[in-house]
Amino acid sequence: MRLKIKVILFAVVPLALSLAVIATAVFRQQSLLAERERALVEASILDAKHAELRHYVELALSTVAPWYREGHDDDTGRRAALARLSRLDYGQDGYFFVYDLDGRNLMHPRQPELTGHSQWELRDPRGEPTVQRLIETARNGGGYVEYLWERPSTGVVERKLGYVVSLPRWNWMIGTGIYLDDVTTTLADLDRQSAANIRDTMAWIAACAVVGVLAIGGCGLALNLSEQRIANQKLRRLALQALQSQEEERARLARELHDGSSREFESIRAAIERAAGDDDFAAARRQIDAALTRFRGAEDKLREISHRLRPLMLDELGLPASLMRIAADFSSDTGIHTEVQLPEHARDLPEHVVTVLFRVAQEALTNIARHSQATRAWITLAQNEGDITLSMRDNGVGFRPATERKAGEPGIGLRTMRERLDSIGGTMSLHSSATGTQIEARVPRAAALPRQHDPDSNPGWMTPGCLPRVAGDPGRDSASQARALAPDFGLPREVIADASPSCESSCDTSNKIQT
């Protein structure tokens, strides 16, 4: 996974999600606190308004008390009481009003046109019967009523909180009211302040998010540059190791050609020259026969060198047959008994995947021969839920993975295997103990998808059992064919452990060997 994607997935995305959750929680909590504060402020203001109205009405009652308590129930006493009430006010829009309990207005100092007229059917813009509600509250012992009424100073209908009481003997309702515009203004200011606080908090969270993302981006950039430098160093070291390996391989090939094939060809040339100068036909024939024998040996030696570089079987018959061949060569060269286990069902693999798995198997066998002191080895090729797994195991002495290389010097064998698998998206795991070592190479399903090719091209990975079917013998199952073909690969029949039961449904004629 690229570093940029890692930074986004494991740093930026969790940070963004965390900040989003925090922002949501803070916004919700602040909104709830603002609502509670608004309700508390509104209740506090209304409580103060209630007390104020009650005091005003008590003042009005004390004003008319001399006439009401002394029994002046005639029109003269009532008019005197109304005249005294009309002169009471508290501010531009603070006044008292008097209605009889039938809804007729008896006094309204700010709207005198209402005096003497019944307002029983009067309704506010919401359709509420205003005067009826006031009278009903007064009949029930008095109390507070919130209603809509025209403000005398502006002519605008506004919310008003009134307090009314009744004088039953006179059949009166006395009341006053306070307009609630100051309450609305105070609450609106409080809402604006709360919204501003929430915006400031969200801005701080956003700023923290930006700073966090920039910090992560900066750290990611620094890490990217650091990893790039490390990768470049590893690449240069690997390139140097590859060049050294190439030079070592060339030197080995040169020695093999000089010490083996070159001398054989010189011997063959000398024998042919002697035969050409020999007058005895029978002796010349024997020398030519000997030269032919040495020529065939030299030819086999060259074929062996070519096979070690890249077996033609890998291109012609696929990975399983090549694994069988290198297992046979390994057993022959080292004396370590090697078993090959093959899958029952498989599919085509891309050529580069086949090559990587083959080279990993080669390197693993080389390490077993050099370091393990093993007597047995196992090569297992398997397909597990779409993934391709190649496992190499031995019963040797094992080693500690932490000490698999000298300090600061990566082991070229294990490092090369990891690098090869990394190049195709695969992974390698290593397990070692005193009873042996196991190396497992895993290629994921996506990397192991078959490539498109025409029917005549190399399949790369043969189908069930990964072994060719012998033409003309369709009745034999895959396990029997594997054991029948084992000698052709230089393997004893018992080496093949788990060949597939049938190839009928998956192997086409392009995988057959003509015999």
Side-chain angles (χ1 to χ4, degrees):
M1 187 181 296
R2 296 177 58 186
L3 179 62
K4 180 179 179 181
I5 300 177
K6 289 182 180 179
V7 170
I8 293 175
L9 289 180
F10 301 127
V12 175
V13 171
L15 175 64
L17 291 177
S18 300
L19 290 175
V21 172
I22 292 173
T24 302
V26 169
F27 179 80
R28 179 172 177 80
Q29 289 299 320
Q30 285 197 330
S31 299
L32 292 175
L33 289 175
E35 292 176 1
R36 292 174 184 172
E37 184 180 9
R38 190 182 193 278
L40 290 174
V41 170
E42 184 177 14
S44 176
I45 294 175
L46 290 178
D47 287 343
K49 297 288 185 185
H50 289 171
E52 183 180 2
L53 287 173
R54 188 169 56 252
H55 292 156
Y56 286 150
V57 171
E58 289 174 355
L59 176 62
L61 290 176
S62 66
T63 300
V64 301
W67 291 277
Y68 190 77
R69 282 200 303 263
E70 294 178 5
H72 297 290
D73 297 334
D74 55 358
D75 290 341
T76 301
R78 295 182 183 184
R79 282 196 297 271
L82 290 174
R84 180 66 63 87
L85 284 174
S86 66
R87 290 192 296 271
L88 291 177
D89 61 35
Y90 48 94
Q92 185 177 10
D93 296 313
Y95 57 89
F96 294 91
F97 53 83
V98 180
Y99 286 83
D100 64 23
L101 296 181
D102 296 324
R104 185 168 62 91
N105 182 268
L106 301 178
M107 184 203 71
H108 200 298
R110 297 294 188 273
Q111 293 176 297
E113 67 274 9
L114 300 178
T115 303
H117 298 285
S118 175
Q119 305 297 322
W120 184 260
E121 299 297 334
L122 179 67
R123 295 180 180 273
D124 64 17
R126 296 178 300 193
E128 297 288 340
T130 306
V131 176
Q132 293 180 32
R133 292 175 59 211
L134 292 171
I135 292 174
E136 181 181 1
T137 302
R139 285 181 184 275
N140 293 330
Y144 301 96
V145 180
E146 185 176 332
Y147 58 97
L148 296 178
W149 195 266
E150 180 181 319
R151 192 184 189 102
S153 60
T154 62
V156 178
V157 176
E158 297 182 10
R159 287 175 61 209
K160 190 174 185 177
L161 178 65
Y163 184 76
V164 293
V165 295
S166 66
L167 297 177
R169 200 172 70 244
W170 286 3
N171 198 35
W172 280 10
M173 176 193 70
I174 298 177
T176 188
I178 299 176
Y179 289 95
L180 299 178
D181 57 319
D182 57 338
V183 178
T184 304
T185 301
T186 301
L187 294 178
D189 292 340
L190 185 62
D191 290 340
R192 283 193 295 271
Q193 183 179 358
S194 299
N197 291 337
I198 292 175
R199 284 196 302 271
D200 292 342
T201 303
M202 294 298 104
W204 276 106
I205 293 177
C208 292
V210 171
V211 172
V213 170
L214 291 177
I216 292 173
C219 293
L221 179 60
L223 182 60
N224 190 23
L225 294 176
S226 176
E227 286 198 354
Q228 188 173 4
R229 286 195 298 269
I230 294 174
N232 289 336
Q233 293 174 357
K234 290 180 179 178
L235 185 60
R236 286 193 294 269
R237 186 164 56 245
L238 187 61
L240 178 60
Q241 291 170 347
L243 290 175
Q244 292 175 346
S245 298
Q246 285 182 347
E247 291 302 322
E248 292 175 0
E249 184 67 16
R250 289 171 180 173
R252 184 184 65 80
L253 290 175
R255 287 193 301 271
E256 289 187 4
L257 290 174
H258 179 270
D259 297 339
S261 301
S262 177
R263 293 183 178 179
E264 287 291 337
F265 284 120
E266 288 179 1
S267 174
I268 293 170
R269 179 178 60 80
I272 293 175
E273 288 177 350
R274 287 195 301 273
D278 196 338
D279 294 335
D280 186 349
F281 178 78
R285 177 70 182 189
R286 286 192 298 274
Q287 291 180 14
I288 291 175
D289 290 341
L292 287 174
T293 301
R294 287 194 292 271
F295 179 80
R296 293 189 185 96
E299 185 181 23
D300 291 340
K301 186 65 174 179
L302 289 175
R303 187 178 294 109
E304 180 65 22
I305 294 174
S306 174
H307 166 74
R308 290 180 179 176
L309 290 176
R310 179 178 177 87
L312 293 178
M313 189 178 298
L314 188 64
D315 296 323
E316 295 176 354
L317 298 182
L319 179 62
S322 299
L323 292 177
M324 293 168 60
R325 178 57 185 269
I326 63 171
D329 292 344
F330 179 76
S331 296
S332 175
D333 294 343
T334 64
I336 299 175
H337 181 75
T338 305
E339 293 185 10
V340 180
Q341 297 177 338
L342 303 175
E344 294 185 356
H345 300 283
R347 60 172 183 273
D348 289 356
L349 287 178
E351 182 178 353
H352 64 282
V353 174
V354 172
T355 301
V356 167
L357 292 177
F358 177 76
R359 293 304 184 193
V360 167
Q362 272 189 322
E363 187 63 40
L365 291 177
T366 300
N367 287 342
I368 291 174
R370 290 179 178 176
H371 310 296
S372 71
Q373 303 178 26
T375 59
R376 294 179 66 87
W378 295 265
I379 300 176
T380 303
L381 187 63
Q383 178 177 323
N384 182 20
E385 296 181 356
D387 294 346
I388 303 301
T389 303
L390 177 63
S391 174
M392 286 71 62
R393 182 167 58 93
D394 64 64
N395 64 347
V397 296
F399 66 96
R400 293 174 56 191
T403 60
E404 65 190 49
R405 53 184 178 272
K406 297 179 181 178
E409 296 182 1
I412 181 63
L414 295 175
R415 178 63 182 274
T416 300
M417 285 190 281
R418 292 187 189 277
E419 293 289 342
R420 288 184 184 276
L421 288 167
D422 285 344
S423 68
I424 61 171
T427 57
M428 188 184 84
S429 59
L430 175 65
H431 305 281
S432 186
S433 65
T435 59
T437 300
Q438 179 174 344
I439 294 176
E440 183 177 279
R442 182 179 295 274
V443 180
R445 179 185 181 90
L449 289 176
R451 66 188 185 280
Q452 298 294 329
H453 57 78
D454 60 74
D456 296 328
S457 65
N458 168 41
W461 166 285
M462 290 183 298
T463 46
C466 308
L467 293 171
R469 179 180 294 282
V470 178
D473 193 6
R476 298 175 63 185
D477 61 25
S478 180
S480 299
Q481 293 180 52
R483 289 169 174 78
L485 288 171
D488 297 335
F489 300 139
L491 282 162
R493 287 182 173 85
E494 62 272 12
V495 167
I496 305 175
D498 291 320
S500 67
S502 176
C503 285
E504 298 254 349
S505 60
S506 303
C507 293
D508 59 24
T509 55
S510 63
N511 290 335
K512 296 179 181 178
I513 298 177
Q514 301 296 328
T515 59

